[in-house]
Amino acid sequence: MTLDILTPTPVYTVNGPGPYAVKHGYLAATELLVEVESATGRTVLSPADFTLEPASSLTGGALTLVDEIADAHAGSRLAIARQTAQEQGFSGAYARDKGLEATLDRLAMAVQDARRLLDGAIRTPLDLGPIDLVTARPEVRGGKILAWSPEGYAVEVGPHLQAIESLIDAQGLTFPLDLGWTNDPTITNTYDLGWTNEDTGG
């Protein structure tokens, strides 16, 4: 078995059942993460919501939504990603094979461990990334909050926690601050936190 470089499947707009091309290999419908996103949020589809042709492929295939799902999510974004089960099925019969089996077992365990670590991390959906590296040095970002950049693909160093605490004390404010934060943000109150793009202080 040989595999080419993983080519991510593009994000589609749901316009009928399809088919929608899957640009990478997959082993089964249960090992794909298929999501639709609209203004109301993201929905993970189950294998019963679509069909794959072929059912398994090392190079790619085509995904077709069932009619009810296509109608319900018309105009939504359709994201398809691989989510391969972490298992190792090779069992050696001879001494050399047993050594290979032990090596494959160790590799499978390492992948399982890595995925468990990622499950505990703050992540974004694959189709909304990647996120740029946080490049600020520890002495620059220490004690400060992190904030999304205007375009939403980078994390920037924000104001120092001491600046926020000082502001709360000086203004007689209570936490959480009234920053006009709503689901449709409109800032009604602003506060000087000493935050500039050139801020490198502690």
Side-chain angles (χ1 to χ4, degrees):
M1 178 187 300
T2 58
L3 291 175
D4 292 329
I5 295 174
L6 175 61
T7 301
T9 295
V11 177
Y12 301 105
T13 298
V14 178
N15 182 18
Y20 301 93
V22 181
K23 299 291 188 178
H24 50 68
Y26 53 88
L27 299 179
T30 54
E31 300 192 16
L32 286 180
L33 176 62
V34 182
E35 298 177 287
V36 288
E37 181 187 41
S38 66
T40 59
R42 297 178 74 94
T43 301
V44 178
L45 302 185
S46 74
D49 296 329
F50 59 87
T51 59
L52 284 172
E53 180 59 41
S56 176
S57 170
L58 295 180
T59 58
L63 181 148
T64 302
L65 300 173
V66 300
D67 290 340
E68 293 83 356
I69 295 298
D71 292 341
H73 297 283
S76 299
R77 300 169 75 251
L78 174 66
I80 304 169
R82 193 166 64 203
Q83 188 172 257
T84 307
Q86 302 157 331
E87 58 185 10
Q88 198 291 101
F90 177 81
S91 179
Y94 303 100
R96 180 180 297 177
D97 293 341
K98 287 295 184 182
L100 175 59
E101 179 184 346
T103 299
L104 294 175
D105 286 344
R106 178 176 291 274
L107 291 174
M109 289 179 183
V111 174
Q112 292 168 347
D113 296 341
R115 180 169 287 181
R116 282 185 57 82
L117 288 173
L118 287 174
D119 285 344
I122 297 175
R123 299 171 294 160
T124 63
L126 293 175
D127 56 288
L128 298 183
I131 303 302
D132 296 343
L133 291 174
V134 178
T135 58
R137 296 183 58 81
E139 61 269 22
V140 173
R141 65 177 187 256
K144 298 178 180 177
I145 66 171
L146 298 178
W148 290 108
S149 62
E151 73 279 2
Y153 287 98
V155 176
E156 299 179 342
V157 176
H160 200 285
L161 292 174
Q162 290 179 351
I164 299 175
E165 293 172 356
S166 298
L167 173 67
I168 293 174
D169 293 339
Q171 300 295 329
L173 303 171
T174 58
F175 189 84
L177 298 179
D178 176 15
L179 296 177
W181 184 13
T182 66
N183 290 332
D184 185 15
T186 300
I187 303 301
T188 57
N189 297 325
T190 60
Y191 303 96
D192 180 11
L193 300 179
W195 181 15
T196 68
N197 292 333
E198 294 76 28
D199 180 21
T200 58

